Amino acid sequence: MQDLKQLYQAVLDGNAKLSKSVTEAAIAEGVDPQKLVTEFMIPAMDEAGRRYECGDFFVPELLIAARAMKASLEIIRPLLTAQGTQPVGRVVIGTVKGDLHDIGKNLVAAMLEGGGFEVNDLGVDVAPEKFAAAAREKNATIVALSALLTTTMPSMKATVEALKAAGVRNHVKIMIGGAPVTQKYADEIGADGYSESAASAVTLARRLMAA
Amino acid sequence: MNSRERVLAMLAGEPVDQLVLMPITMMFAADVIGAQYRDYALDHRVLVEAQIAVAEKYHFDYVSCISDPAREAADCGANIQLFDNQPPGLDEQRALLADKTALAKLKIPDPLGGGRMTDRVQAAALFKTKAGQSKFIEGWIEGPCAQAADLRGINSLMTDFFDDPAFVRELFEFVLEMELKFARVQIEAGADIIGVGDAAASLVGPALYEEFVLPFEKRMVDGLHALGTRVRLHICGNTRRILKGMGSLGCEIVDLDLAPLDEARRQMGNQILLGNLNPVRILRDGTTADVTHAIAECHRQAGARFIVGAGCEVPRGTPENNLLALAAYARSHAP
């Protein structure tokens, strides 16, 4: 019988090889894939986020934890889809038009995925219209926008406007983040929330989903 | 005492008449002369004109060659994306060292070979001609972690620390040699100090910083000192957990962005500290009273060995009066 606590530890340690092998063995033994996600992987990523918030983990540790989680999710996701299991929410995320910085966005995407969300990452330099089209196509519940430059922050506003113009604004919650971004700016452009860090983005997303 | 004399005296530990003022400006400076940032980053004559204009208007004690972190990477052959009115960017999907084996074939560019590095050297030379008697001149290079991230891609570098430590060290060696060559020609052209920007270093924790980054930063700082120059270390972001290491490098100036100044003072002893007014929340979005209050608090925490500046670049759109309030504080206070 597979020791499933190993999966939790493998994700937390960023050991992708082990997380994958434990996941494969557990599935082969007939363990419910949803149980692996909710009882071991999400708690592991929550713990990684907690350690990041309190300064015990840093970007490299968070990235390898996310990589280990993804290695398991690649095995589990098709099984969940086959079961008809719904994600906590569906996120469309990207760095806004004119901005090529992606590490913050990648961390938020990884943490949201680790939090049970389905994440559609559009990459960097994403045009407002592309966000709107993806939100509609993916039936998104959250649109998450990242910007590192003060010069590209106006693209966030343009994206909010594009979501309105495409008629999807009322179907999604918009959350924004990035070094120069503030709650004040989120309020000004009509976003639903602002997050200061990757870990708190998961808390914000869960709160927005519950609202 | 003019600006140049003031900075030189401060760094020599001699008395000065007022606080030294050295905020980083880039896009803000371009806006002051109505230049597009693309021109500022690509043409040293525009950069020099803008820097001198902003230094005169806001009473800065220095001018700087800093514009963007992509100069060395561009000359190495990296794909640079240019924008009309913001800094050039690097696309990680097309990083020069996306394939690690490419490092073995990578050649250090000639900093006087006519590329973007040469343009910075020309900026240092033009500063010396136009403001060499009155302003302190800052050259600029990237630190080991930042430059490695520019060449390899920052996401990849972060996992390389665990996956392939030997590659990281090999890459840092390449960067160290390239940056010291780049610094040498800027110093020869007229730079009084070399700024070392190592932004990505704040993303790693103390363990990786001390194992990988600090030894190369130390060799870089020692190498710069051996070239006869002074060093200003600028690591953007939250450096709270690596303050002690930063303070051990022997830099003339250490900038602070998000780390608490009082903690830095405790950990770094007599180090000259620069910062760390919040650039967005206070300098751009606050009132003049907020600026004055916040910089006074920075001064109180840092004590006499203190240079006035923001934690990072003065953002585009910062109200004139806020920057004038910062300057007024420096001019009306002695260390």
Side-chain angles (χ1 to χ4, degrees):
Chain A
M1 192 68 182
Q2 192 64 46
D3 177 8
L4 296 179
K5 282 182 190 160
Q6 276 190 313
L7 177 57
Y8 172 91
Q9 201 59 46
V11 171
L12 193 56
D13 292 344
N15 187 338
K17 202 173 162 185
L18 182 61
S19 67
K20 191 177 171 190
S21 68
V22 173
T23 303
E24 283 169 343
I27 296 294
E29 287 172 8
V31 178
D32 177 9
Q34 185 63 44
K35 177 186 166 97
L36 296 178
V37 174
T38 54
E39 293 185 22
F40 299 96
M41 293 163 60
I42 290 178
M45 287 305 289
D46 280 349
E47 175 61 13
R50 191 194 67 76
R51 292 185 186 188
Y52 183 72
E53 286 287 285
C54 69
D56 289 338
F57 267 21
F58 296 86
V59 170
E61 289 84 358
L62 213 48
L63 284 176
I64 60 167
R67 189 173 61 181
M69 176 204 64
K70 278 173 190 282
S72 290
L73 267 185
E74 278 173 22
I75 300 163
I76 291 172
R77 195 176 285 122
L79 304 174
L80 294 179
T81 306
Q83 285 180 354
T85 307
Q86 291 299 311
V88 177
R90 281 178 294 278
V91 180
V92 163
I93 189 169
T95 305
V96 296
K97 180 75 183 163
D99 203 322
L100 303 179
H101 297 88
D102 70 351
I103 196 157
K105 179 266 297 173
N106 290 348
L107 288 172
V108 172
M111 293 305 296
L112 288 171
E113 197 162 27
F117 288 83
E118 175 190 300
V119 175
N120 301 280
D121 187 348
L122 305 183
V124 298
D125 194 17
V126 181
E129 299 72 26
K130 195 172 169 187
F131 274 110
R136 184 192 293 278
E137 185 193 332
K138 302 292 182 186
N139 196 20
T141 45
I142 289 178
V143 175
L145 312 176
S146 172
L148 190 79
L149 302 172
T150 53
T151 48
T152 55
M153 282 168 59
S155 295
M156 290 181 154
K157 186 171 192 308
T159 304
V160 173
E161 297 305 320
L163 290 166
K164 283 182 191 166
V168 292
R169 173 66 185 95
N170 293 335
H171 305 293
V172 298
K173 300 290 185 184
I174 301 172
M175 48 193 273
I176 65 174
V181 178
T182 60
Q183 180 63 53
K184 181 171 169 254
Y185 186 69
D187 296 340
E188 279 172 17
I189 67 169
D192 297 299
Y194 154 77
S195 172
E196 198 168 67
S197 74
S200 61
V202 181
T203 311
L204 172 64
R206 286 174 179 156
R207 200 180 76 225
L208 291 175
M209 292 295 298
Chain B
M1 188 170 251
N2 71 19
S3 284
R4 180 179 168 74
E5 292 162 348
R6 184 174 302 118
V7 183
L8 287 170
M10 173 84 189
L11 299 188
E14 295 164 3
V16 290
D17 57 342
Q18 63 189 54
L19 285 170
V20 170
L21 178 63
M22 294 176 65
I24 295 174
T25 55
M26 294 184 270
M27 285 185 283
F28 183 89
D31 288 350
V32 164
I33 63 163
Q36 291 284 94
Y37 200 75
R38 181 190 183 110
D39 299 329
Y40 185 97
L42 297 182
D43 185 341
H44 64 279
R45 292 166 300 185
V46 177
L47 181 148
V48 168
E49 182 189 345
Q51 278 289 305
I52 291 175
V54 81
E56 286 177 354
K57 183 171 183 181
Y58 296 100
H59 314 288
F60 290 3
D61 290 313
Y62 89 129
V63 286
S64 179
C65 297
I66 188 175
S67 64
D68 63 274
R71 286 185 186 254
E72 298 95 310
D75 286 6
C76 284
N79 294 298
I80 304 300
Q81 192 164 334
L82 295 172
F83 298 93
D84 286 341
N85 206 13
Q86 68 183 53
L90 290 150
D91 185 350
E92 175 146 359
Q93 299 305 314
R94 299 184 300 150
L96 192 62
L97 297 179
D99 171 7
K100 289 188 284 188
T101 62
L103 177 58
K105 288 171 271 179
L106 194 59
K107 296 273 186 295
I108 290 176
D110 177 1
L112 297 178
R116 293 201 66 216
M117 293 162 84
T118 305
D119 182 70
R120 177 169 287 166
V121 179
Q122 290 170 327
L126 191 54
F127 276 137
K128 189 167 175 70
T129 304
K130 291 197 162 188
Q133 299 302 312
S134 57
K135 298 290 179 190
F136 193 64
I137 300 168
E138 180 181 73
W140 199 268
I141 60 174
E142 294 300 301
C145 202
Q147 187 58 61
D150 288 345
L151 295 172
R152 169 70 172 143
I154 193 164
N155 295 273
S156 300
L157 179 69
M158 291 294 125
T159 51
D160 287 338
F161 285 117
F162 293 105
D163 298 343
D164 196 347
F167 169 76
V168 173
R169 291 194 176 93
E170 198 183 335
L171 177 54
F172 281 11
E173 288 286 356
F174 176 90
V175 169
L176 179 66
E177 188 181 345
M178 174 172 70
E179 298 297 350
L180 286 175
K181 284 183 175 169
F182 190 23
R184 176 191 290 273
V185 289
Q186 292 182 63
I187 296 160
E188 288 168 356
D192 297 307
I193 191 169
I194 296 293
V196 175
D198 210 10
S202 66
L203 302 182
V204 304
L208 291 177
Y209 179 74
E210 282 168 27
E211 183 182 350
F212 290 93
V213 184
L214 184 64
F216 283 90
E217 285 183 346
K218 179 66 178 158
R219 287 171 61 193
M220 186 174 273
V221 172
D222 289 349
L224 292 168
H225 283 152
L227 292 171
T229 194
R230 307 164 187 88
V231 186
R232 170 186 188 174
L233 178 68
H234 181 88
I235 300 180
C236 315
N238 190 346
T239 52
R240 187 173 197 165
R241 297 292 298 274
I242 59 171
L243 287 173
K244 201 168 183 63
M246 291 164 66
S248 72
L249 292 168
C251 300
E252 276 67 23
I253 303 171
V254 171
D255 287 16
L256 291 173
D257 187 1
L258 298 176
L261 264 171
D262 53 354
E263 203 168 316
R265 173 55 70 220
R266 281 197 299 277
Q267 294 203 32
M268 294 194 200
N270 206 29
Q271 173 72 59
I272 292 179
L273 300 172
L274 188 155
N276 64 344
L277 196 70
N278 189 303
V280 173
R281 289 170 177 77
I282 302 289
L283 195 53
R284 191 192 66 185
D285 295 346
T287 64
T288 55
D290 293 335
V291 171
T292 304
H293 176 76
I295 199 65
E297 179 58 18
C298 292
H299 186 193
R300 188 190 68 75
Q301 291 185 16
R305 303 273 286 166
F306 173 63
I307 293 178
V308 174
C312 204
E313 177 188 7
V314 173
R316 167 177 280 164
T318 294
E320 268 189 39
N321 284 339
N322 283 6
L323 203 49
L324 287 170
L326 191 69
Y329 184 88
R331 294 173 82 188
S332 59
H333 289 77

